[in-house]
Amino acid sequence: VVQSSIQRFQEKFFIFALTPQQVREICISRDFLPGGRRDYTVQVQLRLCLAETSCPQEDNYPHSLCIKVNGKLFPLPGYAPPAKNGIEQKRPGRPLNITSLVRLSSAVPNQISISWASEIGKNYSMSVYLVRQLTSAMLLQRLKMKGIRNPDHSRALIKEKLTADPDSEIATTSLRVSLMCPLGKMRLTIPCRAVTCTHLQCFDAALYLQMNEKKPTWICPVCDKKAIYESLILDGLFMEILNECSDVDEIKFQEDGSWCPMRPKKEAVKVSSPQCTKIESSSVFRKPCSVTVANEVNKKKVDVIDLTIESSSDEEEDPPAKRKCIFMSETQGSPTKGVLVYQPPTVRVPSMTAVDAAAIPPSLTDYPVPFHHPPISSISSDLPG
């Protein structure tokens, strides 16, 4: 696609024909979509790029591009942004699926008309491809079949990163890595990264392929460098780690290539909910809450962490007076200032006083008129069975 006249707008015509085998492959790949539209998994694609042979070229459209296939105008993807200062904005290049306008016959050739605005020193090349479209599920299956990289590769990379640099004053002794995917912010299921990447952090292969199926950028979500499909590998070391520890989201690598899970130093104490439900269901309505049950609850309340205390020391031996059990009744004193204690308007927790007998529902035996089944003779005879 080169300039052939001094005119600003250039136009060229090309003719191509399909073989009977190609026509057959396209036709059997046809799929009807909702709304009566047709789509093909085997497609005829038109691609344009700069006529430059020094290195591989990205898809690139000439200015004011207009394409007609067999006399019909082909709508280019996206819309042309409005001109700024009279300069037309560059349209992002990508392959053009022209299958719907192609004559699916080996007897009749196809004609492509292309017009564009010439630029000094810029020549373009146009090509027509027959391609098979692959879904992200197919690509993921291919990636799994390619195999998983040996964990020793990653261990060697860790040792290399943590090897002390004699010129550096700061020595790195450990490396923290997240087990969460930077794309979906969820735990990794198929840890993957590109061989061209220098980082250890992985991303989820399935999610990465799905995103590039919708909008192909093939950019690593960790380092923002190119991560094309051919360079992706599944990391065996991360596969092992994900299988071994399911309760942590972060790990730490040591200099020798070993790893350990990163757990919080002091986990929040879980309030023993089974005791709460037992007290409410079995004790409150049937009998007064006994002192022994309350003592057990007091024993099991262990550490109620108070976020309002300024001291961050984890080794406090005597619990401060501010910490109070949530089960304390109102008669045991008001909460100390600064402690968050939930006190509903109607106290639902068991108190130490006896339950009023009037509040207990009478059992069935105390009803004055006991309930009896009607005799069988009085049941209507026309009921079936």
Side-chain angles (χ1 to χ4, degrees):
V1 181
V2 293
Q3 187 173 349
S4 57
S5 67
I6 57 169
Q7 301 289 327
R8 170 161 163 74
F9 289 96
Q10 306 284 316
E11 189 171 17
K12 286 251 181 176
F13 295 92
F14 302 92
I15 289 175
F16 73 96
L18 297 169
T19 66
Q21 175 64 22
Q22 288 168 343
V23 172
R24 183 174 169 276
E25 281 196 17
I26 296 168
C27 289
I28 61 174
S29 78
R30 186 169 61 183
D31 189 17
F32 287 95
L33 299 174
R37 292 185 301 117
R38 289 179 303 174
D39 195 16
Y40 300 85
T41 52
V42 175
Q43 301 173 355
V44 179
Q45 285 190 356
L46 187 148
R47 301 183 78 169
L48 288 134
C49 68
L50 284 168
E52 176 62 57
T53 56
S54 60
C55 61
Q57 294 297 303
E58 300 284 333
D59 288 274
N60 203 333
Y61 301 155
H63 273 303
S64 305
L65 178 65
C66 179
I67 295 171
K68 288 182 181 177
V69 180
N70 296 320
K72 290 182 181 176
L73 186 68
F74 178 80
L76 292 171
Y79 62 91
K84 286 185 181 175
N85 303 326
I87 302 167
E88 185 194 1
Q89 297 289 300
K90 281 293 281 182
R91 194 190 292 268
R94 62 187 59 173
L96 306 171
N97 177 13
I98 61 171
T99 318
S100 57
L101 300 180
V102 169
R103 296 187 183 115
L104 296 178
S105 166
S106 56
V108 188
N110 294 276
Q111 187 191 58
I112 293 175
S113 157
I114 175 169
S115 65
W116 75 102
S118 61
E119 296 172 84
I120 298 168
K122 277 194 177 180
N123 292 326
Y124 289 85
S125 170
M126 190 201 78
S127 48
V128 174
Y129 290 91
L130 187 70
V131 304
R132 187 182 299 278
Q133 192 179 34
L134 300 175
T135 63
S136 58
M138 291 176 188
L139 291 176
L140 183 62
Q141 193 58 36
R142 279 193 184 185
L143 190 60
K144 287 178 178 176
M145 287 169 67
K146 198 162 79 169
I148 299 168
R149 172 170 267 197
N150 194 307
D152 292 336
H153 273 276
S154 297
R155 288 194 185 98
L157 190 62
I158 295 160
K159 288 175 185 174
E160 186 184 327
K161 282 182 175 295
L162 295 178
T163 303
D165 185 3
D167 299 329
S168 174
E169 294 179 1
I170 302 166
T172 310
T173 56
S174 64
L175 204 62
R176 291 174 69 159
V177 177
S178 174
L179 298 181
M180 304 293 279
C181 175
L183 283 169
K185 309 300 179 191
M186 293 165 66
R187 190 177 166 85
L188 291 166
T189 51
I190 308 165
C192 158
R193 69 170 179 272
V195 288
T196 50
C197 293
T198 56
H199 51 81
L200 281 165
Q201 180 66 55
C202 290
F203 46 85
D204 195 80
L207 203 56
Y208 183 71
L209 294 173
Q210 284 168 16
M211 289 183 74
N212 281 288
E213 184 180 26
K214 299 261 189 319
K215 188 180 178 183
T217 55
W218 301 102
I219 298 289
C220 172
V222 181
C223 63
D224 291 332
K225 291 180 182 172
K226 273 284 180 189
I228 57 171
Y229 176 74
E230 288 74 18
S231 69
L232 298 181
I233 50 115
L234 302 182
D235 193 295
L237 180 61
F238 274 80
M239 288 271 199
E240 286 180 5
I241 293 166
L242 288 165
N243 289 333
E244 285 182 38
C245 63
S246 57
D247 57 338
V248 293
D249 297 332
E250 199 173 25
I251 53 156
K252 183 166 73 174
F253 287 114
Q254 307 292 349
E255 290 178 65
D256 59 351
S258 63
W259 61 274
C260 62
M262 292 290 292
R263 286 190 175 89
K265 286 185 180 178
K266 193 167 187 179
E267 294 180 356
V269 175
K270 295 173 185 173
V271 177
S272 48
S273 54
Q275 276 85 356
C276 299
T277 52
K278 279 179 188 171
I279 291 169
E280 285 184 13
S281 60
S282 61
S283 304
V284 173
F285 299 112
R286 293 182 191 171
K287 61 181 180 180
C289 188
S290 65
V291 179
T292 54
V293 175
N295 287 339
E296 282 178 18
V297 174
N298 283 332
K299 281 179 191 171
K300 293 191 177 180
K301 69 180 173 91
V302 205
D303 277 334
V304 178
I305 296 171
D306 180 13
L307 299 178
T308 60
I309 300 171
E310 290 183 358
S311 169
S312 61
S313 170
D314 290 341
E315 290 82 37
E316 288 188 49
E317 301 207 354
D318 298 328
K322 290 183 181 180
R323 299 182 180 180
K324 270 200 174 182
C325 177
I326 195 167
F327 293 106
M328 281 185 173
S329 67
E330 289 177 339
T331 59
Q332 289 177 291
S334 61
T336 314
K337 184 182 176 183
V339 181
L340 301 175
V341 178
Y342 173 67
Q343 290 187 330
T346 56
V347 181
R348 295 168 61 189
V349 295
S351 64
M352 294 299 117
T353 56
V355 179
D356 185 11
I360 302 172
S363 62
L364 288 174
T365 54
D366 295 334
Y367 280 103
V369 182
F371 176 76
H372 294 288
H373 288 286
I376 295 171
S377 59
S378 66
I379 296 175
S380 176
S381 61
D382 59 351
L383 287 173

